[in-house]
Amino acid sequence: MRIKRSSWSIPYAIFLALFVVMPLVMVAIYAFQGRGGGFSLEQFSRFIHTPEDLNTFMYSIEIALITTVLCLLLGYPAAWIMANSELNPSRITILLFILPMWVNMLIRTLATVALFDFLKAPLGEGALIFGMVYNFLPFMIYPIYNTLSKMDKSLPEAAKDLGATPGKVFTKVTLPLSMPGVWSGVLMVFMPTISTFAVAELLTMNKVKLFGTTIQENINSGMWNYGAALSLIMLIIIGVSTLMSGEESSRENETGGLL
Amino acid sequence: MNKDEVIINIEHLSKAFDGKAVLKDISLYIKKGEFVTLLGPSGCGKTTLLRILGGFTVPDAGVVTMEGRDISGVPPYERPLNTVFQRYALFPHLDVYDNIAFGLKLAKVPREEIDARVRKVLKMVSMSDYEDRDVDSLSGGQQQRVAIARALVNQPKVLLLDEPLSALDHKMRLDMQIELKEMHRKLGITFIYVTHDQEEALTLSDTIVVMNEGRIQQIGTPTDIYNEPVNSFVADFIGESNIFNGTMIKDKLVSFMGHEFECVDEGFGTNTPVDVVIRPEDVYIMAQTEGAQFTGKVRTCTFKGVHYEMFVDTDSGYELMIQDYNAFEPGTTVGLLIRPFDIQVMKKERVCNSFEAEVVGEGKVSILGAEFECSVPEGLESGETVTAELPFNAVELLDHPEDGVLTGYVHFILYKGNHYHLTVRTDEGADIYVDTNDIWDKGDLVGINFAPAALKISRRDEN
């Protein structure tokens, strides 16, 4: 019997349905379930009326934004230097930047904790931001490096030829053309940092609470509906930021980001 | 403006990339308002020379002056010249208008003036309605026009063009050639144009600079270069040509293809080996043989649109390419005639291979790292450096590189009417010149053997 080519995708479809679509649907159902079991917005109003959770939420976004901005400030120059063949002829440095990505994130975080202990530096918010930047920096560097190294080398030359000083070449040509990479880097750092919780617990000795921890605590203590509602809120934030950056990068003609 | 005023002067320019010399002692001056073409095969250094002028490449040695001012240390953004890049290099994030206005905005030109100048230059390249278009939505020819407009709007004193038409199809290229020529005439600024297309160079230029292997071979007007090439490379590269080994018997008398011909060249001395170039359209071909200088038999005849191209085997065993308006059937015997002023005689660059060699024992010398047995003259001791000379036909090329004493590849091929003259570059980078009847292709890997008996060893000239 001949098997149709399209039927090859059936196992994947089943996998997606079981492990992606169904959990999402479950999250949505639980989130909109009231105490009585029927449809209700009770869980969301509870969130708005619990100042502690609301504050944690805002704080998480703040930490994620700070991490993203720091990663961008550190990552862009690094990517720029790596993509510049005159400054970086060997390309080994790229490997050095990518290498930490091969180590499990929890192990890296534990190592960071050990490092702070060794240096007698206090754990807390500072350590949290340090750890997050350290963990997610490669995710910022790589997409930016990718767009920069794929960029037509004659474009900066053309700009210079038309009278642009090196600074102007950067602001008028290099930077605008590397924006797709910047957007995908921002997304790849912002998304995981906003939902992180284990890293935060380890690096702050549970002194600082992030939104991920709030969700985990609620679910652990059996409050499934409220936990689901909080998860949904976070999903929406991530979804919106993806859409926004997707729109930004699709406006650019040059592609080359990771997403 | 004085037409003869020199705008750019290049003196003793050299450049090497990773130890490989790309430009070797280039000197050249360019006059104001001239259309100069740098012409040569790929890898001849023409693009590097243009990039040095644009300020993108720093020369290892030499000086470039523009209007009497040394511009060697001046960065590209301060040079009063603009470039049209090979792949246009239009900014994909800007539309046509902003691409063209890029330089003017940087120069802080007032808005109204930018507007007026962009519109004017768009009109000049016939792209008036395209201001708001995305550059990616334009065809190759349109992108080319925008690239030219973007350079010209800054009113440079010199426009550099790096193979600007190479990405266009043939018909479009011919149209753009005419437009470029027209633009040059209208603007009156200096154009420096790089191309490997000899037809393009002949059509466009006031002056052609023929380059090969990092050196200038010849500078001249298109007619000069075509009619009086200085060496066999130029003759072969520009247009179609028949190139023969010849002997200058005395002034105004040259012998080649086994016949003696009157010519107009003088000053080569007597019985001097020379190269002779005959353009295919300069051979007179006729049905009757009386009154002809020599005869031949037509082998092939192909219609080429305007003329017929015929290959004729001459009575003395040479092959001659002839272009004529009349067709002669293959197999017919024809009379042939070449007039004195159509014979171009050139000094030979070399008459045999000459190597630096070292005596390494009784009757043995080492050349290019390989040892050869030959007769070493008395009085030369082991370890002494000598000169080894070898005729072109004493070099044997082998299909299998491992069979040869030396290995290399075919670098350049020149047909001499009855044999091929090859330049074989060894793995060590030395050039060996070979006369052969075998057909090789450019780039073929070969083994090289010398006929040791033909080696002539002599003491080095003491300086």
Side-chain angles (χ1 to χ4, degrees):
Chain A
M1 191 187 85
R2 266 174 62 102
I3 301 173
K4 268 204 293 184
R5 191 172 270 224
S6 61
S7 51
W8 292 358
S9 65
I10 287 174
Y12 303 100
I14 293 173
F15 179 89
L16 281 175
L18 274 180
F19 296 104
V20 180
V21 179
M22 212 165 72
L24 278 174
V25 172
M26 299 280 284
V27 167
I29 290 173
Y30 272 102
F32 288 104
Q33 218 167 39
R35 227 164 303 171
F39 176 84
S40 137
L41 292 174
E42 195 187 315
Q43 309 302 341
F44 296 94
S45 78
R46 178 177 161 190
F47 170 62
I48 292 164
H49 293 106
T50 316
E52 197 206 327
D53 291 351
L54 208 57
N55 286 341
T56 314
F57 180 65
M58 296 314 287
Y59 182 69
S60 288
I61 291 182
E62 191 190 320
I63 292 285
L65 283 176
I66 290 172
T67 307
T68 310
V69 168
L70 283 176
C71 279
L72 186 59
L73 290 179
L74 289 170
Y76 199 103
W80 188 82
I81 290 168
M82 287 198 302
N84 193 326
S85 54
E86 268 168 52
L87 296 174
N88 180 35
S90 71
R91 310 254 142 175
I92 283 178
T93 34
I94 299 157
L95 192 70
L96 288 178
F97 272 101
I98 304 298
L99 208 64
M101 282 165 98
W102 299 349
V103 179
N104 181 288
M105 193 156 75
L106 271 181
I107 295 175
R108 262 185 295 165
T109 306
L110 285 169
T112 313
V113 173
L115 183 73
F116 270 71
D117 278 345
F118 177 74
L119 295 171
K120 308 242 179 326
L123 292 170
E125 197 185 76
L128 174 64
I129 289 173
F130 176 89
M132 301 248 263
V133 169
Y134 169 60
N135 268 337
F136 293 109
L137 189 59
F139 294 94
M140 182 64 84
I141 291 176
Y142 196 70
I144 297 176
Y145 164 76
N146 229 6
T147 38
L148 285 177
S149 61
K150 274 187 202 154
M151 194 190 298
D152 185 351
K153 298 282 174 292
S154 62
L155 293 175
E157 276 185 1
K160 257 189 227 170
D161 185 76
L162 293 166
T165 56
K168 288 278 184 207
V169 172
F170 181 76
T171 55
K172 299 272 179 201
V173 175
T174 312
L175 187 62
L177 287 177
S178 62
M179 281 320 277
V182 169
W183 281 116
S184 75
V186 163
L187 210 62
M188 291 188 64
V189 174
F190 184 75
M191 280 199 310
T193 45
I194 199 172
S195 57
T196 183
F197 69 97
V199 174
E201 286 167 15
L202 287 169
L203 282 168
T204 64
M205 316 264 286
N206 287 326
K207 267 185 276 178
V208 173
K209 196 167 158 192
L210 289 186
F211 198 55
T213 314
T214 312
I215 296 175
Q216 188 222 10
E217 280 172 2
N218 278 297
I219 289 182
N220 274 359
S221 53
M223 285 188 276
W224 284 72
N225 297 71
Y226 188 50
L230 298 183
S231 302
L232 201 64
I233 288 166
M234 198 162 70
L235 264 175
I236 288 164
I237 294 287
I238 291 173
V240 166
S241 57
T242 311
L243 281 180
M244 267 167 54
S245 69
E247 219 154 76
E248 280 298 330
S249 44
S250 70
R251 276 198 307 173
E252 312 286 343
N253 297 309
E254 204 87 348
T255 49
L258 276 184
L259 291 170
Chain B
M1 185 165 57
N2 183 359
K3 263 269 178 199
D4 291 333
E5 208 178 313
V6 171
I7 186 158
I8 288 178
N9 196 18
I10 297 163
E11 280 168 42
H12 305 295
L13 214 58
S14 298
K15 177 73 189 173
F17 288 117
D18 300 324
K20 199 174 168 292
V22 180
L23 292 178
K24 301 164 189 162
D25 195 27
I26 299 277
S27 293
L28 172 70
Y29 66 86
I30 291 162
K31 286 186 219 148
K32 203 169 248 175
E34 213 176 4
F35 196 128
V36 180
T37 300
L38 307 176
L39 174 68
S42 58
C44 73
K46 56 190 192 299
T47 298
T48 308
L49 181 53
L50 195 76
R51 288 179 61 83
I52 288 174
L53 290 177
F56 302 114
T57 302
V58 182
D60 297 336
V63 184
V64 180
T65 56
M66 189 165 168
E67 297 182 312
R69 191 165 70 103
D70 183 357
I71 56 165
S72 304
V74 179
Y77 48 89
E78 282 172 11
R79 296 193 179 200
L81 32 79
N82 285 109
T83 309
V84 176
F85 290 84
Q86 193 168 8
R87 299 259 156 222
Y88 321 139
L90 297 177
F91 304 122
H93 59 300
L94 302 175
D95 64 13
V96 169
Y97 182 95
D98 286 332
N99 259 283
I100 296 173
F102 191 88
L104 298 177
K105 281 182 182 167
L106 284 169
K108 305 236 176 349
V109 174
R111 255 196 106 67
E112 304 77 53
E113 197 191 328
I114 294 183
D115 237 39
R117 275 165 75 174
V118 170
R119 270 174 232 292
K120 195 173 150 213
V121 80
L122 272 171
K123 197 167 168 227
M124 191 165 79
V125 297
S126 340
M127 291 280 292
S128 287
D129 298 330
Y130 291 86
E131 281 174 34
D132 303 325
R133 288 279 289 272
D134 239 349
V135 289
D136 283 340
S137 68
L138 302 178
S139 70
Q142 291 169 330
Q143 291 192 26
Q144 181 55 263
R145 287 158 196 271
V146 175
I148 293 170
R150 185 178 68 175
L152 287 178
V153 79
N154 303 295
Q155 299 168 345
K157 288 179 177 158
V158 178
L159 185 69
L160 308 177
L161 302 108
D162 184 7
E163 306 213 20
L165 307 184
S166 62
L168 303 180
D169 63 54
H170 186 68
K171 186 84 178 66
M172 183 102 82
R173 205 153 59 214
L174 297 181
D175 292 344
M176 281 303 290
Q177 282 176 13
I178 296 166
E179 284 186 43
L180 274 174
K181 188 85 186 147
E182 188 59 25
M183 267 180 231
H184 174 251
R185 200 184 56 76
K186 270 194 209 151
L187 294 166
I189 61 170
T190 312
F191 277 38
I192 303 176
Y193 193 97
V194 159
T195 184
H196 61 266
D197 183 337
Q198 42 104 4
E199 247 180 75
E200 207 166 282
L202 293 172
T203 311
L204 291 171
S205 323
D206 296 326
T207 304
I208 296 178
V209 179
V210 185
M211 293 179 67
N212 188 36
E213 311 230 325
R215 283 184 205 285
I216 293 177
Q217 304 291 320
Q218 188 171 5
I219 303 175
T221 63
T223 18
D224 281 350
I225 301 258
Y226 188 82
N227 291 333
E228 282 156 43
V230 293
N231 59 35
S232 52
F233 171 81
V234 177
D236 181 59
F237 192 73
I238 313 280
E240 309 271 15
S241 51
N242 297 288
I243 303 174
F244 302 104
N245 289 330
T247 308
M248 202 68 189
I249 297 167
K250 57 180 195 195
D251 280 355
K252 300 192 179 184
L253 188 66
V254 62
S255 132
F256 60 95
M257 284 198 293
H259 294 276
E260 284 181 12
F261 295 86
E262 273 179 45
C263 65
V264 292
D265 299 84
E266 299 177 1
F268 285 88
T270 54
N271 291 321
T272 317
V274 288
D275 279 327
V276 177
V277 176
I278 309 294
R279 294 293 182 187
E281 68 274 18
D282 288 341
V283 182
Y284 287 82
I285 180 167
M286 48 214 167
Q288 72 273 26
T289 50
E290 60 265 24
Q293 285 165 315
F294 58 109
T295 62
K297 205 170 182 185
V298 178
R299 180 146 48 83
T300 62
C301 178
T302 322
F303 183 53
K304 290 279 181 180
V306 179
H307 60 262
Y308 292 89
E309 186 174 276
M310 287 162 278
F311 283 93
V312 175
D313 294 317
T314 71
D315 48 12
S316 45
Y318 286 82
E319 186 185 274
L320 195 59
M321 182 205 266
I322 298 173
Q323 291 171 353
D324 201 277
Y325 296 122
N326 301 309
F328 291 85
E329 284 299 309
T332 27
T333 302
V334 288
L336 300 163
L337 190 121
I338 304 168
R339 291 196 293 185
F341 47 82
D342 287 332
I343 296 171
Q344 168 65 11
V345 177
M346 306 177 302
K347 202 170 155 269
K348 263 194 180 304
E349 284 156 273
R350 63 192 77 78
V351 289
C352 68
N353 288 297
S354 178
F355 306 106
E356 185 177 290
E358 194 190 330
V359 181
V360 287
E362 193 76 11
K364 258 187 177 179
V365 290
S366 157
I367 301 169
L368 302 171
E371 285 185 10
F372 297 92
E373 287 192 25
C374 61
S375 59
V376 177
E378 301 259 328
L380 286 173
E381 286 176 25
S382 202
E384 200 163 339
T385 308
V386 293
T387 300
E389 289 188 329
L390 184 70
F392 299 136
N393 58 13
V395 184
E396 191 189 0
L397 297 181
L398 305 157
D399 282 323
H400 300 291
E402 58 273 21
D403 294 342
V405 181
L406 293 164
T407 55
Y409 66 94
V410 178
H411 180 64
F412 184 67
I413 303 171
L414 200 62
Y415 186 55
K416 287 268 179 112
N418 66 343
H419 68 274
Y420 294 93
H421 184 68
L422 308 185
T423 306
V424 177
R425 185 156 290 177
T426 67
D427 296 344
E428 291 79 25
D431 284 341
I432 298 174
Y433 303 93
V434 186
D435 278 350
T436 175
N437 290 318
D438 300 333
I439 296 172
W440 295 93
D441 284 323
K442 204 173 166 180
D444 282 349
L445 293 176
V446 291
I448 306 158
N449 266 350
F450 292 168
L455 272 173
K456 205 173 125 235
I457 306 297
S458 59
R459 208 178 283 276
R460 273 175 77 87
D461 300 329
E462 300 292 336
N463 291 324

